[in-house]
Structure formats: C-alpha cells, structure tokens
Amino acid sequence: MILLTGATGKTGGAVATQLAEKGVACRALVRDAGKAAPLAELGIELVIGDFADEAALGQALSDVDSAVLILPNSEQQATLEKRFIDAASKAGVGHVVKLSSMEATADTGSPIPAMHYQVECHLKESGLDWTMVRPNFFMQNLLSSAGTIKEQGRFFLPMGDGKTGMSDIRDIAAVIAEVLTATGHRNKSYEVTGPELLSFHDVAGRFSEVLGTTVSYVDMPADAYREMLAKFLASEWHLNAVCDLFAGIAAGGLEYKTDTVSQVLGREPISLSEFVQDHLAVFKNC
Ligand SMILES: NC(=O)c1ccc[n+]([C@@H]2O[C@H](COP(=O)([O-])OP(=O)(O)OC[C@H]3O[C@@H](n4cnc5c(N)ncnc54)[C@H](OP(=O)(O)O)[C@@H]3O)[C@@H](O)[C@H]2O)c1
C-alpha cells in the first residue's frame, strides 16, 4: 500500500492520477472528503484528517510500504513534516518520498529551501529509506498569470534576467510514481528540471509563439511585487519567504538543468511550449 499526502493539490493530485492509471493500490490522507471525491472515483482509499491529527496519521500510515510527503509552504511545514516522518517510522513504513526543492542546500539562507533542507536531514537520520524529489520552478506557477496574459498580453514577476529550468508538474509526478513503483530509487536524490534554461523574457517568447500573439514579461521591482503579493498571502512569514525565493531566482539561483526525467523515465521532459499548448483554453482568448 502507498500512502499519498497532498493528493488534493497539484503535484500530489498528478501522482494520484498516474498511480491509479498504473493500477497501484493507494490511500490518501485528505482534509476534505468533498474535495477528494475525484480521488475516491479513481479507487483511492481515503482517510480524512489533518497532518496535526495524530489518530488520523496513525490510521493513514498503518500497513503502508511507501509514503509520499507533500505539504504546501507555511511556517508550520517543517514541524508537520518531521512529525509525519516520526509517525511513519513508528508505524513501520519502509520508504518515504519527500517533495523538496532544488534550492534546499546546507548553506541556503532562504526560509523555504532551509525548511526543506532541515526536513531532508531529519528524514535521512530517521532510519527510513528515503527518496528526495527536488524540483525546479513549476511551469504550473504561470497559471496564476493567465488572467493578465489573456487580457493584457503581459505577465508580472520580479525575476529580473534570472533563468530557471522550469519543470511541468506532470513530469515531477511521473518521477515520483516511478520511484514508488520501480526498484533502485531508494536513498537517492533527484533534481527535476524541464528541458530548457529560460529567462522570463524567453518564457514570454514561448508564449508568443504558441499563442500567436505578443506576450511580454514585465520585470516588477521587488517592493512593488511584495505589495501586490501581500493582497493574496495572509502570513507575513509566507510573504517574506516567497519574496526571498524569487530574489534568489533573480540572482541566478536556479540556473541549471538536469537529465533526471530522461534518466528515470526514459523520455524527454515536457517543454514550456507543450505546457502552453496543453493549457490553451486557460491562456488564450478563444
Ligand atoms: N511551486 C514551485 O515552483 C515549487 C518548486 C519546488 C518545490 N515546491 C514545493 O512543492 C510543495 C507544494 O506542492 P504543491 O504545489 O503540489 O501543493 P498544493 O497544490 O499547494 O497542495 C497542497 C496539498 O497539501 C494538503 N494539505 C495542506 N495542509 C495540510 C495539512 N495540514 N494536513 C493534510 N494535508 C494538508 C492540501 O490539502 P487541501 O486541499 O485540503 O488544502 C493539498 O492537498 C511545497 O513544499 C513547495 O516548497 C514548489
């Protein structure tokens, strides 16, 4: 049995779909049965509960061979993830696959990567088998710019001329699904990127080509971006952490790519042009 967490979210949802397509028996720890109804339709067993609910965690982790650890960024993330690892160890789970970040290094001063690094260390010290899946910037982050791309032919981010090897969540999920169902992936770290290193001006160029209309990237000053983001993020910690992360990207912190997708999956990663093409209805005025 495989236990999924974060399965009503973006990456966990894609993992759930891909495992269900492979016919693998899965359980998911979810907070909201209504939101998780599509998972139940895929044949995934549901345990309703929060990471902070010890009884639900124990129920979710019983008789589990491998578990996937995915939580969104928050000030509580490290505490909740470490608690999950301790509960998995206590329940006799064999293997935990953690969704981490390529920026999670010992010397990072940025809160989100530092939190992932701390949890990676905790998992490595737990005695459990582990696999770290460490992605680059998600292409799906660009979906939050769909409104201005559609209405104004522009998107606004504070990344300067920084480049990323941005990755499609479907590839990240496919790597996780492979790690869970094939042998030889335990106690390894996989840095997942897309096929190209792209500045956000390059990203605008790819959008223009696929949409057949000019799309421009507007490099927002960090202070103005922070002011805009503050309207959407209630937590000061989260706001500072995201601004710090994006400053790191602007400074060139994500400017590398890997061949993980082709090594693990035996195929090329999804390109940004394919991503845009697959989301035409979201980005294009039809
Ligand atoms: N975005 C990027 O570019 C990027 C790059 C590298 C790494 N990452 C990492 O990716 C992770 C986020 O993945 P994602 O974007 O796929 O997540 P997401 O779409 O935000 O989904 C989060 C999931 O976690 C569940 N959840 C939240 N709090 C919970 C709790 N207390 N107990 C149980 N479940 C809980 C949510 O359930 P509900 O549906 O009930 O809310 C949802 O299923 C982060 O750790 C981030 O650092 C992101």
Side-chain angles (χ1 to χ4, degrees):
M1 173 65 77
I2 290 173
L3 174 68
L4 304 176
T5 61
T8 52
K10 296 183 293 292
T11 316
V15 175
T17 307
Q18 295 188 25
L19 287 176
E21 279 166 5
K22 289 180 184 230
V24 178
C26 292
R27 179 185 297 153
L29 174 66
V30 297
R31 297 194 290 189
D32 179 338
K35 198 170 172 187
L39 299 172
E41 276 168 32
L42 290 172
I44 294 173
E45 182 186 322
L46 302 182
V47 172
I48 312 299
D50 190 282
F51 263 57
D53 176 347
E54 222 171 284
L57 212 50
Q59 191 192 341
L61 285 163
S62 94
D63 295 324
V64 162
D65 304 302
S66 294
V68 181
L69 176 52
I70 300 178
L71 272 182
N73 300 137
S74 75
E75 204 168 356
Q76 293 75 40
Q77 185 174 1
T79 305
L80 291 174
E81 291 200 1
K82 286 186 195 171
R83 196 178 291 166
F84 180 90
I85 291 163
D86 295 343
S89 182
K90 197 170 150 200
V93 171
H95 177 210
V96 170
V97 181
K98 168 167 166 55
L99 180 63
S100 181
S101 154
M102 262 172 92
E103 294 136 304
T105 55
D107 59 351
T108 181
S110 190
I112 292 169
M115 172 278 304
H116 278 305
Y117 182 76
Q118 216 188 92
V119 176
E120 284 196 12
C121 291
H122 190 80
L123 178 52
K124 285 177 180 172
E125 287 160 8
S126 69
L128 291 161
D129 281 346
W130 50 267
T131 309
M132 311 302 175
V133 176
R134 297 162 47 90
N136 206 291
F137 190 83
F138 293 172
M139 289 180 188
Q140 276 75 1
N141 295 341
L142 297 165
L143 292 168
S144 59
S145 297
T148 61
I149 290 175
K150 230 176 185 173
E151 287 152 24
Q152 306 173 27
R154 300 192 295 173
F155 63 94
F156 301 80
L157 284 169
M159 313 300 202
D161 294 324
K163 294 182 179 168
T164 73
M166 58 173 67
S167 186
D168 190 302
I169 278 174
R170 292 169 292 179
D171 281 342
I172 300 162
V175 169
I176 294 175
E178 184 67 14
V179 158
L180 288 164
T181 53
T183 55
H185 298 300
R186 293 193 178 203
N187 305 320
K188 292 186 177 168
S189 286
Y190 290 116
E191 305 210 319
V192 183
T193 76
E196 305 169 284
L197 267 187
L198 300 169
S199 72
F200 284 81
H201 294 290
D202 298 331
V203 169
R206 295 291 191 281
F207 270 95
S208 303
E209 282 163 20
V210 178
L211 300 181
T213 178
T214 302
V215 175
S216 311
Y217 159 54
V218 181
D219 178 25
M220 258 181 121
D223 286 352
Y225 184 76
R226 186 191 161 84
E227 207 174 297
M228 188 276 297
L229 194 62
K231 294 178 191 146
F232 301 96
L233 296 183
S235 146
E236 187 75 6
W237 179 91
H238 199 185
L239 178 63
N240 289 335
V242 173
C243 290
D244 207 276
L245 202 62
F246 285 4
I249 293 175
L254 269 180
E255 290 191 3
Y256 58 114
K257 65 187 178 82
T258 66
D259 61 0
T260 299
V261 170
S262 55
Q263 289 294 325
V264 174
L265 301 175
R267 63 162 174 78
E268 287 307 301
I270 297 167
S271 69
L272 180 63
S273 299
E274 288 171 281
F275 165 79
V276 178
Q277 186 68 43
D278 291 344
H279 295 82
L280 271 188
V282 183
F283 290 118
K284 193 173 172 132
N285 279 315
C286 297

